[in-house]
Structures are given as C-alpha cells and as structure tokens.
Amino acid sequence: GYRYILAEPDPHAPCRQEFDESQDMAGKPIPPFLCRVATPDSVLLALEDRAPQLSVSDDRLWLTGAKFYCTSRATHGVKKGSWYFEIRISELPEGSALRVGWAQKNGNLQAPLGFDKFGYSCRSRKGTKFHDSIGKHYSSGFGQGDVVGCLIQLPELQSFDYLPPTFKDKPLIKFKSHLYYEEKDELQENLKSLKPLVGSKITYFLNGKSLGVAFTDIYRGEYHPAVGLYKQAHIKFNFGPRFKSPPVGAPRFKPMSERAREMEIEQSVADMRYFTDKEGLKIENYPV
C-alpha cells in the first residue's frame, strides 16, 4: 500500500545551511523539504520499480525473465506528447513469451503487462493486445531476433498541471544509507478517477514497419515503458536517440532518452514553486 521515492539533499533549499550548522537537529528526523526527488541522469530500467524475480544487467538495459510472468518499468514516464522506444528480442526459448508496452505506477508488477487498467501491451505469442486482462487480436506476433517499437501519443490538455509532485511534504525515511519519500499508492482512489484521454494512441512497429494503432483513448496518467516476461525471455531496451529499426511513417515523436533532461527541468521548477508557495518556511517551525 506504499511507494518509496529515492531522495537526495536539496542544495537549493532556503534553509539548507541553517540545518547543516544546527546542533539542535542532531539525531532528529531530517525535515523532508530539505531533500528533493533524485532524478536519474538517463532513462534506464528502474531497479526498484520491477518484480524482483527479473534479472537486470549492470547497464540496466537488458532484462531476463523468471518462472512466472512479471513486469518491469523504466525510470521515466510521460504524461503528454509523442514518445518512442524499442526492444530487441535476443532470446525467446520455446514456451516463453513477453508483453511490451506502457504502464502507470499503479500497474501490478507481479503479473503480465496489461493485466489491469494501468497497463497496455502486445504479446509475442499470436500478437494479442492486452488491457485489463482482455486480449484481442492485433497482429501475427513476433519472435527471437525481432525489434519491436512502441509509440505513445498523449494530447496535451489545456489548464492541466503537468509538473511532477515534489514529495517535500511527505514522510522522509532512511533505509540502508539511502533516503526515501514515503507515500500511499492510493490504488483504489486512482482506479475510481481513471478517465479516457481523447485522441491518445498506442502504436507498435515490428522491425520498423507499423502494425497499426493498437489502442485509442487510453486512460489519462503518466506512462512508463514497460515489459512483462514469462520464463527465460531475454531482451534489450533501446530508449534512443538512435534506433536499430527506425519506425517508418511514424508521426513526429521524441525518443524516450530525451525525457531525462526534461524531467530534471520539470522537477526543479516544481521544487521552486513549492518553496515559493511556502515562503517563510523555517526549520524551527517544523515538527520533529
């Protein structure tokens, strides 16, 4: 029922120096507004946002499956615009399978991608597309040696706040020498608030050739590149900017690799807005 977000000291916090020099704070909890969300420098597979049974390579681009279907997500997500990534299927032994696509944070990691309302996928076996555990025919499937591309198109809504949360008002905990913000996953609340994003699309490409639009008017939210593996499937992610099989005829898009820089800027702006809204924030006024 909880989610943990890696945090780091915020050197731009207004009273950072005051905290560092304060003897009265020794041994007491660190006020959460003195930290910030740690944003990765590049888009990779998230070590903490995956089923632990899955094996991730040191460069965090290769993924190997386990005995049962389970899912892994990338470090960065998108809420608006057109974005693309691809996977290369290195090994797909007999009896194994995979599902590739996009998932929100509430998507179940101990299940195949597309198991719930928070994920959309296309399966290697028979090319079936899945959402909310409902499978429909989409393509003829794909196998070992193929490159599968995933394009998501999310129209921008007017007057919608796209800045990420700062978590600076959430509990800050320490675990194994690292700091984490703690928040409730609000699964049931998010399920009830799901609304279709009119005009949104997910399209797949097989070795650069479009398979056609798979999903339209998907639910609003932040979507991460994701894959669900069954048995010993072995794949490699490519978030760009150069793709092994560029999508022919695809509308204008950004490679997911560009999301890292964008996210840094958005997180910084969100933090600045937080401190502006909380003008006069003082350590001595923070309950510890």
Side-chain angles (χ1 to χ4, degrees):
Y2 288 88
R3 183 182 296 121
Y4 296 89
I5 299 92
L6 184 64
E8 63 184 8
D10 186 351
H12 305 298
C15 37
R16 178 86 239 174
Q17 185 176 0
E18 180 183 346
F19 171 76
D20 291 339
E21 296 175 353
S22 173
Q23 297 298 317
D24 296 333
M25 296 295 294
K28 295 181 180 180
I30 300 174
F33 60 80
L34 292 183
C35 290
R36 65 184 180 187
V37 174
T39 53
D41 295 333
S42 54
V43 181
L44 300 168
L45 286 169
L47 293 178
E48 74 286 349
D49 197 19
R50 65 180 171 97
Q53 301 95 316
L54 297 173
S55 299
V56 180
S57 61
D58 290 341
D59 63 6
R60 292 166 64 182
L61 294 175
W62 290 88
L63 191 69
T64 305
K67 186 175 181 179
F68 301 105
Y69 242 130
C70 41
T71 297
S72 178
R73 289 187 285 259
T75 51
H76 293 67
V78 293
K79 298 179 182 178
K80 62 177 180 177
S82 297
W83 299 87
Y84 188 84
F85 75 95
E86 67 179 20
I87 64 165
R88 176 166 61 87
I89 305 172
S90 178
E91 297 177 31
L92 197 64
E94 185 177 353
S96 64
L98 67 91
R99 298 188 190 183
V100 61
W102 301 84
Q104 297 191 42
K105 281 287 188 179
N106 281 123
N108 191 340
L109 295 174
Q110 294 292 339
L113 181 60
F115 171 79
D116 49 37
K117 294 182 183 295
F118 298 103
Y120 297 83
S121 70
C122 179
R123 186 177 64 181
S124 57
R125 191 179 298 163
K126 298 182 179 180
T128 312
K129 62 180 182 179
F130 283 92
H131 171 64
D132 199 17
S133 290
I134 298 174
K136 296 182 180 180
H137 176 72
Y138 171 61
S139 69
S140 58
F142 40 88
Q144 187 167 307
D146 284 332
V147 174
V148 184
C150 305
L151 173 70
I152 193 169
Q153 296 169 269
L154 303 170
E156 184 173 354
L157 297 173
Q158 297 298 319
S159 303
F160 187 85
D161 186 4
Y162 284 100
L163 286 181
T166 66
F167 301 105
K168 286 179 176 289
D169 56 351
K170 300 293 184 183
L172 188 68
I173 65 171
K174 192 171 185 178
F175 180 72
K176 292 186 177 179
S177 301
H178 293 287
L179 294 169
Y180 296 89
Y181 287 117
E182 180 185 70
E183 70 160 352
K184 293 182 178 180
D185 64 15
E186 298 181 339
L187 175 61
Q188 295 305 317
E189 294 86 342
N190 292 338
L191 268 174
K192 294 176 183 177
S193 64
L194 286 174
K195 295 180 180 179
L197 177 59
V198 178
S200 57
K201 299 177 183 178
I202 293 178
T203 305
Y204 291 91
F205 292 78
L206 180 59
N207 301 318
K209 183 179 179 181
S210 175
L211 297 176
V213 176
F215 302 99
T216 58
D217 297 344
I218 67 175
Y219 289 125
R220 298 179 192 176
E222 183 178 26
Y223 285 92
H224 295 245
V227 69
L229 299 184
Y230 178 61
K231 294 190 175 179
Q232 296 301 312
H234 185 53
I235 66 165
K236 184 180 183 181
F237 277 81
N238 181 1
F239 299 110
R242 297 178 180 177
F243 294 105
K244 183 177 179 63
S245 297
V248 178
R252 189 174 181 180
F253 64 84
K254 292 181 181 180
M256 273 302 299
S257 57
E258 290 189 16
R259 184 62 184 141
R261 179 59 177 164
E262 279 194 8
M263 189 64 192
E264 287 182 6
I265 296 172
E266 291 176 5
Q267 197 68 58
S268 296
V269 173
D271 290 344
M272 287 190 289
R273 183 174 68 178
Y274 174 86
F275 287 122
T276 301
D277 293 342
K278 301 286 185 180
E279 187 177 2
L281 201 62
K282 297 290 184 181
I283 285 183
E284 57 263 29
N285 296 332
Y286 184 79
V288 295

